[in-house]
Amino acid sequence: MVYRNGGVTVQAMTRSEAADKLLDRYAGYYDISPAGEGQAPLVATCDFHAHSEKYVLSRKAKLWEAGSHEYVFVFSVPHLTEDIFNACRDYAYEHGMAKVEPGPNHMYSYITAMFLCDTCEKAAKKALRRCRIYKSFKMAFWGWMDFHTGLAVLEDEKAFSNASGRSAAQLLKKTLFCKAKKKMLGKEKTL
């Protein structure tokens, strides 16, 4: 995509390039499932599972164990509107909650909706930033679920999130908008 920024023509990253970079970043730790043909604007889902436990001398003398999970839904749309955001948020929440299995060994599950768009309307950005979904299971004895959002506006090269999803916005900034630092290769500047 080409756009003019203050009289200068700038080549922006395409949504498919951004999705590939983001999924490459997730590939090291997450199980990635590409979306089917009829699931647009969903690009892929990424699942992460971690299990921790502490025991004394023998595994039979277990002190505690806890499971942590994250389910990421990556959406790609040319122009994000409030209606599209609400539909994708509901999709991510419904399918994410279907994967959550609360129990005595469940600590937390994060459901994350990531949006890649060329442009975004103000109402959609406002709805994304105000999105607050939290659920505790058995008064948090069986863990909790927190809903995170992340938005990358490729034309403006900016990332946004809700209050819970600050790490998602940081990931988008570092992955998509971080400029490569110039290396000096042993050469020092002289005055």
Side-chain angles (χ1 to χ4, degrees), residues 123-140:
K125 192 185 306 179
K126 184 177 180 181
L128 180 131
R129 292 180 117 176
R130 290 187 173 191
C131 180
R132 306 267 191 280
I133 303 173
Y134 175 85
K135 182 175 178 91
S136 65
F137 305 103
K138 300 264 184 172
M139 294 176 40

Side-chain angles (χ1 to χ4, degrees), residues 83-150:
D83 292 336
I84 293 172
F85 167 74
N86 290 333
C88 293
R89 179 201 61 209
D90 294 344
Y91 178 89
Y93 179 74
E94 178 185 333
H95 288 79
M97 284 301 290
K99 295 179 180 185
V100 173
E101 297 175 5
N105 300 326
H106 174 259
M107 187 163 72
Y108 66 82
S109 292
Y110 294 146
I111 300 172
T112 306
M114 298 287 255
F115 295 90
L116 303 172
C117 66
D118 297 323
T119 57
C120 175
E121 69 179 27
K122 288 183 181 182
K125 192 185 306 179
K126 184 177 180 181
L128 180 131
R129 292 180 117 176
R130 290 187 173 191
C131 180
R132 306 267 191 280
I133 303 173
Y134 175 85
K135 182 175 178 91
S136 65
F137 305 103
K138 300 264 184 172
M139 294 176 40
F141 287 113
W142 282 14
W144 67 89
M145 182 284 304
D146 199 11
F147 193 85
H148 299 179
T149 60

Side-chain angles (χ1 to χ4, degrees), residues 15-16 21 43 59 61 64-65 68 92 112 115 144 149 177 188:
R15 285 182 289 119
S16 62
K21 280 179 108 175
V43 175
R59 288 192 181 256
W64 58 265
E65 67 179 307
S68 307
T112 306
F115 295 90
W144 67 89
T149 60
F177 306 131
E188 295 182 32

Side-chain angles (χ1 to χ4, degrees), residues 114 149-151 159-161 165-174:
M114 298 287 255
T149 60
L151 168 65
F160 305 94
S161 70
R166 287 193 179 112
S167 60
Q170 289 174 349
L171 177 76
L172 289 170
K173 285 178 188 174
K174 287 181 182 177

